[in-house]
Amino acid sequence: MDTTLGGLSSEARNLHWLLTDLVEEVAGVLSVAVVSSDGLLLLSSHQERQPAAGPDREEGPRGSTADLATIVAGLGSLTTGAATLMDGGLVKQTMVAMDHGSLFVMTISDGSLLGVHTAPDCDMSVVAYHMALFVGRAGHVLTPELRRELRRSAEAVR
């Protein structure tokens, strides 16, 4: 986990646990980030794995988890704009399939986003199912107060 748990409320610790569980229990998940509606990183986690050699190694986006958060926020903004132009309503989920992995972005009820970066051989339906479980559990507890607490925690780590 990329942020510390010391001094956090039980709600914040529970969200950290749910996010870590998503990474550790769902095969093929490499890294995850929860981003606020204004694009700030709230929570993140990544798969602990041994460094691999060669161009086919599985790894998260280059750089920090802030990079994944930036990608998730940008993709969320882009798809929201597209949905507005197309009169498509609210964006619920976005999926980007790449040669060497996938990126899923799912909206949380308060406008925050859950982003998941996966290995190319993941079962997309299993990932989407577990993301929906996280969103269902996180959506009702991600209050403005909890978002402020998580932002402070994420900023303290940087």
Side-chain angles (χ1 to χ4, degrees):
M1 182 64 78
D2 296 334
T3 54
T4 60
L5 298 179
L8 293 180
S9 67
S10 61
E11 292 87 2
R13 286 192 309 272
N14 188 40
L15 283 180
H16 277 275
W17 178 83
L18 287 171
L19 198 70
T20 300
D21 191 55
L22 178 66
V23 171
E24 292 175 354
E25 299 300 321
V26 181
V29 171
L30 302 175
S31 57
V32 296
V34 175
V35 180
S36 67
S37 58
D38 53 357
L40 298 174
L41 177 64
L42 298 177
L43 295 166
S44 63
S45 187
H46 62 276
Q47 182 68 278
E48 297 295 330
R49 55 197 174 277
Q50 298 297 324
D56 293 333
R57 68 180 182 259
E58 294 176 356
E59 59 184 32
R62 279 177 252 146
S64 68
T65 55
D67 292 336
L68 178 60
T70 300
I71 293 164
V72 168
L75 189 57
S77 178
L78 180 64
T79 56
T80 297
T84 300
L85 288 173
M86 297 175 184
D87 293 326
L90 297 175
V91 176
K92 296 178 183 179
Q93 182 176 358
T94 304
M95 198 277 283
V96 178
M98 302 170 280
D99 285 340
H100 301 290
S102 297
L103 175 64
F104 298 82
V105 178
M106 192 173 284
T107 303
I108 301 175
S109 63
D110 69 335
S112 298
L113 301 167
L114 170 63
V116 177
H117 177 226
T118 68
D121 60 348
C122 77
D123 184 332
M124 293 182 197
S125 62
V126 171
V127 172
Y129 172 76
H130 284 279
M131 287 178 70
L133 286 178
F134 178 89
V135 166
R137 292 173 180 153
H140 69 281
V141 298
L142 204 50
T143 63
E145 296 80 20
L146 185 55
R147 286 193 305 272
R148 277 192 296 277
E149 178 184 359
L150 293 169
R151 272 191 216 140
R152 283 192 304 267
S153 175
E155 289 170 359
V157 172
R158 285 189 241 156

